[in-house]
Amino acid sequence: MHISSELRRRFADAQRVLVLTGAGVSAESGVPTFRGGGQTAVWKGMPFDVISSAAMVERDLPAVWEWFDYRRDFMGAIKPNAAHEEIARWQDRFAEFTLVTQNIDGLHQQAGSRDVIELHGNIWRARCTVCRSNHDNSAERARPDACLECGNQLRPDVVLFGEMLPRGAFEFAAERASQCELCFVVGTSGLVYPAAGIPELAKSAGAYVVEVNPERTPLSDLCDETITGKAGEVLPLFSQ
Ligand code: BJW
């Protein structure tokens, strides 16, 4: 596992850098991935794409909350790892730096990253199912029972299968992708769209695209380089 001299040169010279992260960047913090390692995450006999879906919010919101409360409990105790910390160091290194994450765990922000584009929402917020107002759902406090504005039911403020991404988030990420010179794709299986389309946008606009993942993914062939390894071991090599 090493960083090629070509990539070191590009990293040193780049002005505009974009990083797209997925569940794998938090794996070394102890957050289970959805699909890594040949496993499919299952909750009480339901595959996660069933429980984490718009249809399930309609059908059984208490079950959705049970699944998210369970994850809030263990995510409350975890800490950013060397990959989050390295990415946080990059933000002041380049003239324009964009961090786009599919993760809902808030670990990038905890590591010090600012202006993180969260494509799939954040587990530490709840949202009203009717008026859409946001509510703090952080680990330190009990989950609010109902919307404080209108009294209706709350749901996790995350993007489930079959739901639209937060307004403008993908569009902004796509614009930055089409302007960047260097694009890192870290710890994502590249299966979930529209997030998985970001590296392709960067590539079509002429960026050098680098994947960091212990396994090959459907994005590997598109990338100019794939570095096979764990994010927490590979990324800190850039500061050495
Ligand atoms: C390491 C590591 C280490 C391990 N270091 N790496 C085009 C074609 C077909 C379908 C669609 C399409 N466009 C849209 C769709 C539908 C759907 C979709 O993409 N389906 C595909 C699965 C086929 N997309 C949507 O529904 C999206 N909405 C949308 O498109 O709206 C418009 C629309 C509306 C209505 C109808 C149609 C369109 C929304 C997607 C929302 C995804 N939500 C989830 C759940 C969030 C809440 C929760 O947590 O429960 O987001 S699904 C889940 O997957 C989660 C993740 O963010 C997302 C991506 O997963 P990620 O991050 O890539 O993780 P893994 O686990 O898959 O991979 C981990 C990787 O890490 C692996 O590669 C490992 O090897 C690696 N790894 N250890 C580095 N140490």
Side-chain angles (χ1 to χ4, degrees):
M1 186 172 66
H2 84 292
I3 311 296
S4 69
S5 49
E6 165 82 10
L7 179 53
R8 282 210 183 270
R9 185 185 59 72
R10 287 180 182 268
F11 188 78
D13 295 346
Q15 301 283 313
R16 295 179 303 281
V17 173
L18 180 139
V19 178
L20 170 69
T21 64
V25 82
S26 296
E28 290 155 84
S29 293
V31 183
T33 60
F34 296 91
R35 307 172 185 81
Q39 302 287 318
T40 303
V42 170
W43 167 250
K44 296 195 171 175
M46 274 181 277
F48 77 90
D49 51 352
V50 174
I51 184 78
S52 278
S53 69
M56 191 55 81
V57 169
E58 293 289 316
R59 196 158 75 231
D60 193 349
L61 184 54
V64 174
W65 268 123
E66 214 187 318
W67 155 238
F68 277 88
D69 284 346
Y70 158 76
R71 292 161 79 205
R72 263 177 91 224
D73 275 353
F74 78 75
M75 283 186 191
I78 58 171
K79 296 274 170 281
N81 63 53
H84 299 104
E85 284 160 8
E86 180 66 17
I87 292 169
R89 280 194 284 276
W90 290 2
Q91 69 194 334
D92 295 322
R93 192 190 164 112
F94 303 100
E96 188 177 282
F97 180 77
T98 309
L99 174 56
V100 185
T101 190
Q102 299 168 81
N103 299 344
I104 61 171
D105 54 31
L107 287 176
H108 283 301
Q109 291 90 334
Q110 223 180 300
S113 285
R114 304 179 300 268
D115 304 324
V116 183
I117 303 177
E118 292 181 316
L119 294 180
H120 295 163
N122 190 301
I123 196 166
W124 308 118
R125 283 192 311 264
R127 183 174 88 223
C128 179
T129 51
V130 176
C131 75
R132 297 183 69 88
S133 60
N134 283 336
H135 297 271
D136 181 10
N137 193 23
S138 52
E140 305 82 54
R141 55 176 66 201
R143 170 161 64 83
D145 290 330
C147 178
L148 301 170
E149 306 291 329
C150 70
N152 280 298
Q153 285 186 314
L154 294 174
R155 53 159 288 170
D157 190 21
V158 300
V159 183
L160 304 170
F161 276 113
E163 294 185 328
M164 303 302 285
L165 273 59
R167 190 177 300 229
F170 178 76
E171 291 73 9
F172 185 54
E175 186 187 322
R176 287 296 183 90
S178 58
Q179 291 163 355
C180 74
E181 296 153 64
L182 183 56
C183 171
F184 286 88
V185 186
V186 184
T188 177
S189 58
L191 291 168
V192 175
Y193 281 82
I198 288 176
E200 199 171 343
L201 288 171
K203 177 79 182 172
S204 338
Y208 195 76
V209 184
V210 181
E211 179 175 61
V212 178
N213 199 310
E215 294 177 16
R216 284 190 70 77
T217 74
L219 298 173
S220 302
D221 285 342
L222 168 138
C223 292
D224 295 287
E225 281 192 35
T226 59
I227 306 177
T228 307
K230 294 181 174 178
E233 294 171 6
V234 173
L235 295 183
L237 297 176
F238 284 88
S239 287
Q240 285 168 17

